Amino acid sequence: MSYEQARDELTEVVKRLETGGLTLEESLGLWERGEKLAAICEEWLEGARARLAAAMARPENGGEGGPAPF
């Protein structure tokens, strides 16, 4: 599942929980699904942070080893 898919589904889960009118069982099921989706999003974000940090640590064209300016 992509980050965008997980994020979008998580948004829908939150909307359904906020709307209310669900049974306790339905609410618990949605909460559990939301937790799983949040974990998926966090994994994607951690991976992106690691890739960004690695790219910034890589010296460009044999220059000094500092981070590249943006």
Side-chain angles (χ1 to χ4, degrees):
M1 174 177 274
S2 73
Y3 169 80
E4 291 80 9
Q5 291 169 323
R7 182 202 58 212
D8 292 346
E9 187 177 340
L10 180 57
T11 300
E12 290 303 313
V13 165
V14 170
K15 284 180 187 176
R16 287 187 63 198
L17 286 169
E18 288 178 341
T19 301
L22 302 169
T23 66
L24 178 58
E25 190 65 31
E26 290 169 329
S27 295
L28 287 174
L30 282 173
W31 180 268
E32 290 170 346
R33 180 64 180 158
E35 289 290 323
K36 289 177 185 175
L37 292 165
I40 291 169
C41 289
E42 185 61 30
E43 285 179 40
W44 274 103
L45 291 173
E46 286 300 319
R49 285 184 194 108
R51 289 176 62 187
L52 181 59
M56 290 179 68
R58 195 176 316 129
E60 292 194 26
N61 300 333
E64 296 298 314
F70 283 96

